[in-house]
Amino acid sequence: MRLKKPISGKGNPIFGIGFFGGDMLKIAVCDDEEWIRQYIGDIIYKALCIKADLYTDGTALLASDVAYDIYFLDIYFGKEGSAGQINGMETAKKL
């Protein structure tokens, strides 16, 4: 089940405002399999009350202008070799 409501700006007492210099912890999940992205995102939300940003490939993640605190990267993309798509290892090198 996907949780619909993200946390408020007040933050989680452990990982919320104040613990990381006043900003919420920023987490990115990058995987080409939708169910895996959703599953990891749900676990993060349930454990930390933080809504992770979900990406389908490394190219999309690198194109974002967000500086994340934690990255969950798929090592191998099943559709690897598609135009402009890079795997998790190459993405990690560029981060």
Side-chain angles (χ1 to χ4, degrees):
M1 181 176 107
R2 181 77 175 151
L3 299 172
K4 305 273 187 216
K5 184 179 175 191
I7 61 172
S8 69
K10 294 179 182 173
N12 179 294
I14 297 172
F15 296 99
I17 294 172
F19 193 79
F20 287 95
D23 292 331
M24 291 297 296
L25 188 62
K26 296 181 193 104
I27 302 174
V29 177
C30 184
D31 198 299
D32 61 328
E33 303 257 0
E34 181 179 359
W35 75 270
I36 294 174
R37 283 192 312 271
Q38 294 295 325
Y39 183 71
I40 295 171
D42 288 347
I43 290 172
I44 292 167
Y45 186 86
K46 289 175 185 175
L48 304 175
C49 295
I50 294 172
K51 186 177 179 223
D53 292 337
L54 309 178
Y55 294 91
T56 57
D57 61 69
T59 305
L61 173 60
L62 292 170
S64 77
D65 59 352
V66 179
Y68 291 99
D69 299 302
I70 299 173
Y71 295 89
F72 287 86
L73 301 173
D74 186 5
I75 299 299
Y76 171 78
F77 291 125
K79 299 176 253 176
E80 196 166 352
S82 298
Q85 189 179 48
I86 59 174
N87 66 29
M89 293 301 287
E90 292 300 316
T91 302
K93 289 177 188 176
K94 293 182 180 194
L95 290 171

